[in-house]
């Protein structure tokens, strides 16, 4: 029996198979950078990175310098790109562990240069250009001068020119296509006939799956590695992606109650028949959102049972009147598969009014993880 009351199960075989599928989509000429920021979207950064490293992945994307350092300490070799600028104090770590920061401002570049020269090394930087994301990055017309500055500055070299698509999962493909044209034109303008051309990369999962023209030298999938489609609905239905995360608990108590019995805070549910209730040791402190109250199902003995009453901080009740065989200690699947039934990440996300990205981060980062396969 698992030692935890409530836990996340991470299926490493599914992770590997998603990785192989995405590599086949990316093709042989395109490097696959696995995005493992935010604890690998709740899946556990070190475990995921080591598993993908064993699969031959040699490029990783993190949001913080500290994450890059943790990867190096685990023996991860190859490219580690740090998406968010961490400030001057972290540059000694960047140099020591050969991390590649994303940059968009001169001050950043000069600070990296100083740290690299001081440490006697050369640091690759990825220049972020805002080609339509409307978030981080310099505007395209600033790129030529900036790239020139990078090549002139000691201790740094241009390892990449990157951008990010806001609408690769949109209904219309027009914006993404126009954006890619803009990206192409700025690359054409700066990457003439130099020897060492920086890696061009723009594609997230959606662009990788949907726009082969956006693959360039490297693709940066995150959510698809974890088996989720970037957008719910039919858009990526043909993608061979298997869910990696499941969320499980065990029945703590089973009891029979009469008709008219109020359940949990506020009595938002009252039994309409003599009922059997199962009490589960899981709640919103585990990321099982209170907004799911009276709306979500769980799986027990391969069948659906409705959750009833308010979800509390650590406790949740389900109605198992129609499932006679339920006993204390039985395994409950809150998200994932049991028998022929499945409660998908997308189902939970839709009920919460959010996207699968947020659900895996929330659940994965608030529960102990167990690795299988
Ligand atoms: C998070 C992130 C990605 C991955 O996006 P997905 O939609 O999860 O594939 C790619 N690139 C950058 C810069 C990111 O921050």
């Amino acid at each position: 029996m698992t030692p935890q009351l409530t836990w996340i199960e991470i299926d490493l075989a599914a992770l590997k198979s998603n990785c192989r599928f995405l590599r086949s989509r990316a093709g042989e000429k395109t490097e696959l950078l696995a995005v493992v920021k935010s604890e690998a979207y709740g899946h556990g950064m070190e475990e995921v990175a080591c598993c993908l490293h064993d699969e031959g992945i040699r490029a990783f994307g993190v949001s913080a310098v500290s994450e890059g350092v943790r990867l190096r300490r685990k023996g991860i070799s190859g490219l580690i790109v740090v998406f968010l600028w961490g400030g001057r104090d972290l540059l000694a770590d960047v140099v020591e562990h050969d991390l590649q920061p994303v940059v968009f401002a001169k001050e950043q570049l000069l600070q990296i240069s100083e740290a690299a020269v001081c440490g006697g090394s050369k640091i690759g930087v990825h220049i972020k250009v805002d080609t339509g994301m409307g978030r981080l990055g310099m505007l395209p017309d600033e790129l030529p001068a900036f790239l020139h500055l990078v090549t002139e500055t000691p201790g740094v070299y241009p390892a990449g020119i990157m951008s990010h698509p806001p609408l690769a999962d949109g209904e219309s493909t027009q914006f993404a296509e126009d954006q890619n044209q803009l990206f192409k034109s700025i690359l054409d303008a700066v990457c003439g006939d130099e020897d060492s051309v920086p890696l061009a990369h723009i594609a997230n999962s959606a662009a990788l799956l949907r726009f082969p023209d956006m693959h360039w030298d490297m693709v940066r999938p995150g959510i698809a590695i974890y088996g989720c489609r970037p957008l719910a609905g039919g858009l990526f239905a043909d993608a061979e992606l298997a869910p990696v995360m499941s969320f499980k608990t065990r029945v703590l108590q089973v009891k029979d109650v009469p008709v008219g019995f109020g359940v949990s805070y506020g009595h938002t549910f009252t039994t309409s028949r003599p009922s059997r209730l199962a009490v589960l040791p899981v709640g919103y402190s585990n990321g099982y959102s209170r907004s799911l109250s009276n709306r979500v199902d769980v799986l027990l003995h391969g069948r659906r049972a409705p959750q009833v009453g308010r979800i509390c901080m650590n406790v949740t009740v389900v109605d198992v009147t129609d499932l006679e065989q339920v006993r204390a200690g039985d395994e409950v699947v809150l998200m994932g598969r049991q028998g022929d039934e499945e409660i998908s990440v997308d189902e939970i996300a839709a009920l919460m009014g959010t996207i699968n990205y947020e659900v895996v981060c929330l659940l994965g980062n608030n529960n102990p993880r167990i690795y299988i396969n």
Side-chain angles (χ1 to χ4, degrees):
M1 219 155 111
T2 39
Q4 279 85 15
L5 290 174
T6 296
W7 69 100
I8 288 290
E9 223 163 77
I10 301 295
D11 182 345
L12 294 174
L15 183 75
K16 288 179 192 167
S17 112
N18 296 336
C19 175
R20 279 181 216 133
F21 169 74
L22 293 170
R23 278 180 118 176
S24 75
R25 277 294 179 95
E28 281 176 8
K29 295 206 184 78
T30 301
E31 176 105 33
L32 192 146
L33 174 144
V35 178
V36 293
K37 66 190 178 192
S38 301
E39 214 52 67
Y41 294 37
H43 294 69
M45 184 185 68
E46 278 111 337
E47 291 85 352
V48 164
C50 289
C51 174
L52 296 175
H53 197 259
D54 288 346
E55 283 288 291
I57 297 295
R58 288 295 178 272
F60 294 89
V62 294
S63 52
V65 169
S66 59
E67 294 172 328
V69 172
R70 281 168 55 204
L71 290 183
R72 288 288 189 236
R73 293 210 167 115
K74 277 281 166 186
I76 298 291
S77 59
L79 193 63
I80 298 181
V81 180
V82 182
F83 295 150
L84 293 183
W85 177 249
R88 178 177 238 146
D89 293 349
L90 299 178
L91 290 173
D93 281 339
V94 168
V95 172
E96 182 185 344
H97 297 283
D98 191 22
L99 309 178
Q100 300 200 337
V102 170
V103 296
F104 43 81
K106 188 176 170 182
E107 306 83 78
Q108 297 169 333
L109 196 68
L110 298 182
Q111 290 175 17
I112 297 168
S113 165
E114 192 185 310
V117 169
C118 176
S121 64
K122 231 170 147 81
I123 292 298
V125 298
H126 293 253
I127 306 168
K128 181 115 177 195
V129 188
D130 186 351
T131 56
M133 181 68 195
R135 209 172 57 175
L136 287 176
M138 68 186 66
L139 293 180
D141 58 1
E142 298 168 46
L143 177 65
F146 194 85
L147 184 60
H148 185 70
L149 181 68
V150 177
T151 53
E152 299 283 288
T153 303
V156 293
Y157 66 94
I161 295 177
M162 66 184 287
S163 200
H164 197 72
L167 283 164
D169 56 357
E171 265 174 41
S172 159
T173 58
Q174 192 62 50
F175 185 89
E177 282 159 8
D178 291 349
Q179 185 188 15
N180 201 39
Q181 274 308 311
L182 174 61
F183 191 54
K184 179 178 185 330
S185 68
I186 65 175
L187 292 171
D188 287 346
V190 296
C191 301
D193 28 42
E194 290 138 60
D195 300 340
S196 63
V197 181
L199 292 173
H201 49 106
I202 185 169
N204 57 2
S205 297
L208 160 57
L209 291 171
R210 200 174 179 202
F211 300 103
D213 285 351
M214 291 179 93
H215 290 178
W216 297 98
D217 301 316
M218 186 160 80
V219 290
R220 309 187 306 260
I223 197 74
I225 296 177
Y226 308 107
C228 299
R229 282 159 182 76
L231 189 75
L235 194 51
F236 300 102
D238 66 326
E240 289 160 32
L241 299 172
V244 175
M245 179 185 291
S246 306
F247 184 35
K248 299 185 176 179
T249 188
R250 283 183 193 283
V251 174
L252 198 58
Q253 185 188 5
V254 178
K255 67 179 172 197
D256 293 309
V257 299
V259 64
F261 192 82
V263 176
S264 190
Y265 286 118
H267 283 183
T268 57
F269 176 84
T270 304
T271 56
S272 58
R273 55 179 176 170
S275 300
R276 175 168 289 182
L277 303 178
V279 185
L280 314 179
V282 59
Y284 54 78
S285 77
N286 304 88
Y288 199 54
S289 173
R290 189 170 176 277
S291 70
L292 296 167
S293 297
N294 289 304
R295 302 167 68 212
V296 72
D297 287 341
V298 307
L299 303 181
L300 262 157
H301 295 271
R303 288 174 59 195
R304 281 179 182 256
Q307 187 279 323
V308 292
R310 286 245 170 89
I311 293 172
C312 307
M313 193 180 293
N314 309 111
V315 183
T316 293
V317 180
V318 294
D319 183 344
V320 294
T321 313
D322 299 325
L323 297 175
E324 274 163 28
Q325 67 276 52
V326 174
R327 300 283 177 274
D330 286 355
E331 188 170 296
V332 183
V333 171
L334 303 158
M335 187 178 82
R337 254 183 186 291
Q338 198 183 52
D340 296 332
E341 271 288 358
E342 180 176 17
I343 293 177
S344 68
V345 186
D346 288 329
E347 178 176 341
I348 301 280
L351 289 172
M352 284 173 61
T354 185
I355 53 175
N356 47 28
Y357 294 73
E358 187 177 348
V359 172
V360 287
C361 287
L362 193 60
L363 297 177
N365 286 327
N366 284 293
N367 292 287
R369 301 184 203 95
I370 290 173
Y371 293 85
I372 60 167
N373 297 327

